[in-house]
Amino acid sequence: MELSSGPVPDRTVGSVEELMELLHACRGAWDTPDRSGDPVDLHDHALQTSHLLRRSHPADKELQVAGLVHDLGHLLHPGDDAGHADTAARAVRPLLGDRVAGLVRLHVPAKRYLAAVEPDRTLSPQSALTLRAQGGVMGPEEAAAFARDPLAEDAVVLRQADDAGKVVGLDVGVMEDWRPVLELVAARLDQPGNGPRRRREQPR
């Protein structure tokens, strides 16, 4: 049987080991297939974003992990700028839970929100280019609705780290440093009393 080398639609991640394999596969993968986008690959961008979040919010492991996995959609569906956040959120929700998935999903709306409330804020050339495809600057009503989301404040923090984590050659550790943090977040969701935050895919 010949295996497809194309993107896997609606993929979900079932284990930390599988997630680590995807994160390692981000080395040499880019936000744009032709490498015309951001100056660092998805691997270095993930490490830098999560590193910044660990520095600013050291106790919030879920926020840090959201920074690590937020752009996996670019790996799973190359070229899908508009949908990459939703793709990544669907992929990690069964393993990492609703809050991490929600923050990942909102990192694109957070860019649109910040463009509305901070119009002088500078975006990277690629981020500015994709803003229109992702819905453009939010209008007042949409921005107000976003701000009411319980995850909005943390999503903005994630977005700010996302925008800053694009420095060529910056050493912020290695991907394996994050395996224990991923294991911790996944394990917390299995503890009694945490509710239906982690939902395994049922066999079909």
Side-chain angles (χ1 to χ4, degrees):
M1 181 178 66
E2 183 177 346
L3 297 177
S4 172
S5 59
V8 180
D10 296 322
R11 177 171 179 174
T12 56
V13 180
S15 69
V16 171
E17 184 61 37
E18 183 181 356
L19 181 54
M20 288 298 301
E21 290 176 0
L22 284 175
L23 289 168
H24 282 297
C26 287
R27 183 176 291 283
W30 301 79
D31 59 330
T32 55
D34 64 0
R35 292 187 57 173
S36 63
D38 288 328
V40 295
D41 65 11
L42 297 176
H43 175 275
D44 288 358
H45 178 54
L47 286 177
Q48 290 185 30
T49 303
S50 53
H51 171 76
L52 290 168
L53 293 168
R54 181 165 55 189
R55 287 178 55 188
S56 64
H57 293 71
D60 195 340
K61 304 303 183 187
E62 290 183 341
L63 178 60
Q64 297 164 27
V65 163
L68 191 71
V69 303
H70 74 282
D71 268 352
L72 279 177
H74 285 306
L75 180 74
L76 297 173
H77 286 189
D80 184 12
D81 290 319
H84 79 279
D86 290 336
T87 296
R90 288 192 298 268
V92 303
R93 177 173 278 111
L95 181 68
L96 301 177
D98 288 345
R99 181 169 178 249
V100 172
L103 291 171
V104 169
R105 178 180 60 82
L106 287 175
H107 85 270
V108 168
K111 177 173 80 170
R112 299 179 57 228
Y113 171 78
L114 284 170
V117 300
E118 299 179 11
D120 295 331
R121 187 167 179 269
T122 301
L123 294 171
S124 72
Q126 178 63 19
S127 192
L129 182 66
T130 57
L131 177 62
R132 183 174 180 179
Q134 294 164 344
V137 179
M138 284 186 176
E141 292 185 3
E142 193 176 7
F146 173 87
R148 290 192 295 270
D149 191 303
L151 293 177
E153 184 175 349
D154 290 337
V156 166
V157 172
L158 168 57
R159 183 71 225 184
Q160 291 167 334
D162 178 7
D163 289 338
K166 302 175 181 181
V167 180
V168 176
L170 183 64
D171 183 5
V172 291
V174 298
M175 193 62 73
E176 282 297 322
D177 293 340
W178 286 94
R179 183 186 294 270
V181 185
L182 291 170
E183 291 173 343
L184 177 64
V185 171
R188 282 178 179 174
L189 302 182
D190 280 335
Q191 293 174 3
N194 280 342
R197 296 173 62 198
R198 185 179 185 185
R199 297 187 293 274
R200 295 288 186 181
E201 292 293 311
Q202 298 298 317
R204 294 182 180 179

